[in-house]
Amino acid sequence: MAVATTSFLLFAATQVGTPGPANMALLATGARYGFRAALPFVAGVALGKQLVIWPVGFGLLELAERVPLLFQALKYLCVAYICWLAWKIANLRLAPGKGGGGAAPGFGAGLLVHPLNPKAWAMIVTGFAGFVAPGTAPFQATLVVALGLLVCQAVFHPLWTFAGDRIAAVVAGRPGEKYLMWMLAGLTVASVIFGVFGGGAQE
């Protein structure tokens, strides 16, 4: 086959289901606003990856080879953005299902997560490079990669968000709340640093 679909799906599941900036953001959003209120954000995060997959599939990698400094600049911009999100997470206090600090981030905010997530870029590039045979039609390859990742996200992203909701129900208003939020922020920063500087390709 032009695309090693089964192998790619196994790869995608291991990457989408493991910790990273997007999953930490989903966990923290579920913890702060509750599972139901976070669902538009979840949908935006899932569909936002498509904004990366399709341009990559249709030649963005060629541009990266021609203008490498552009993508170096993008990488560090992404790191700065994720660190800023982590700072906001660290200073949030939980109010499960109440959104006392304002409305939950919506669909539009979710759309930005993966385009600004360097680990998502690394995973997508790895998917094309490792599981698509040379000479495969761009549309066929991109469709398989896009649908495979979307299916995995539809399973794992709500699970991360629901986990955040359940964690918040246990610790909200207790002394451990502050430490939980700082831990989530630290995991967010650690995951993006590993993705950029350690060669990771997780979600």
Side-chain angles (χ1 to χ4, degrees):
M1 293 181 64
V3 182
T5 306
T6 302
S7 298
F8 172 72
L9 285 174
L10 290 173
F11 164 79
T14 61
Q15 301 303 299
V16 173
T18 48
N23 285 332
M24 290 301 100
L26 291 164
L27 187 75
T29 302
R32 180 66 181 86
Y33 298 100
F35 179 70
R36 289 188 179 181
L39 285 177
F41 181 71
V42 175
V45 172
L47 293 177
K49 184 167 280 185
Q50 302 295 313
L51 300 178
V52 180
I53 295 169
W54 288 91
V56 169
F58 280 89
L60 197 57
L61 292 178
E62 183 178 346
L63 177 60
E65 292 177 0
R66 294 181 179 180
V67 193
L69 289 179
L70 173 65
F71 283 81
Q72 282 290 97
L74 177 62
K75 178 175 71 174
Y76 291 109
L77 176 64
C78 293
V79 171
Y81 175 77
I82 296 296
C83 289
W84 176 77
L85 284 181
W87 175 253
K88 290 179 68 77
I89 290 170
N91 289 283
L92 284 176
R93 291 300 170 261
L94 305 174
K98 298 180 181 178
F107 180 81
L111 281 177
L112 295 176
V113 171
H114 281 310
L116 294 173
N117 177 2
K119 293 184 80 174
W121 283 78
M123 180 176 63
I124 291 165
V125 170
T126 301
F128 279 106
F131 301 94
V132 177
T136 303
F139 179 78
Q140 178 188 358
T142 306
L143 183 63
V144 172
V145 171
L147 289 179
L149 285 170
L150 187 60
V151 168
C152 291
Q153 290 175 280
V155 173
F156 288 107
H157 284 354
L159 288 177
W160 276 98
T161 309
F162 184 72
D165 178 86
R166 293 299 85 204
I167 291 170
V170 174
V171 304
R174 299 185 179 183
E177 177 183 11
K178 175 177 68 174
Y179 301 106
L180 170 66
M181 299 312 290
W182 276 97
M183 181 187 73
L184 293 177
L187 287 172
T188 301
V189 172
S191 62
V192 75
I193 289 176
F194 177 75
V196 172
F197 301 108
Q202 294 177 327
E203 177 80 348

